[in-house]
């Protein structure tokens, strides 16, 4: 059993680094919203952008 504890990492308080969150200007956000509104609701990228929004929220919470 002693050998197994010797392999343990030094401390268990390791926290992985948070991914960066890119800040977009209000102008960029407005342009993106306009472009998204022009897409059909069935466009795959609309669902992908929803996933991206969740990831951004998680990255912000990680800070």
């Amino acid at each position: 059993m002693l050998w197994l504890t010797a392999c343990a990492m030094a401390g268990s308080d390791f926290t992985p680094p948070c991914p960066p969150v890119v800040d977009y200007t209000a102008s960029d956000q407005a342009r993106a919203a306009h472009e998204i509104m022009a897409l059909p609701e069935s466009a795959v990228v609309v669902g992908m952008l929803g996933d991206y929004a969740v990831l951004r929220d998680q990255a912000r919470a990680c800070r």
Side-chain angles (χ1 to χ4, degrees):
M1 196 62 154
L2 181 61
W3 293 342
L4 292 176
T5 59
C7 294
M9 292 177 58
S12 59
D13 295 336
F14 173 75
T15 311
C18 296
V21 178
V22 176
D23 290 324
Y24 297 103
T25 65
S27 173
D28 286 340
Q29 291 178 37
R31 181 178 171 189
H34 179 73
E35 291 175 3
I36 291 167
M37 295 300 288
L39 294 171
E41 284 187 36
S42 61
V44 174
V45 73
V46 173
M48 291 175 162
L49 288 172
D51 295 339
Y52 179 65
V54 171
L55 291 173
R56 285 179 60 87
D57 290 342
Q58 291 171 343
R60 277 193 204 98
C62 179
R63 290 182 182 175

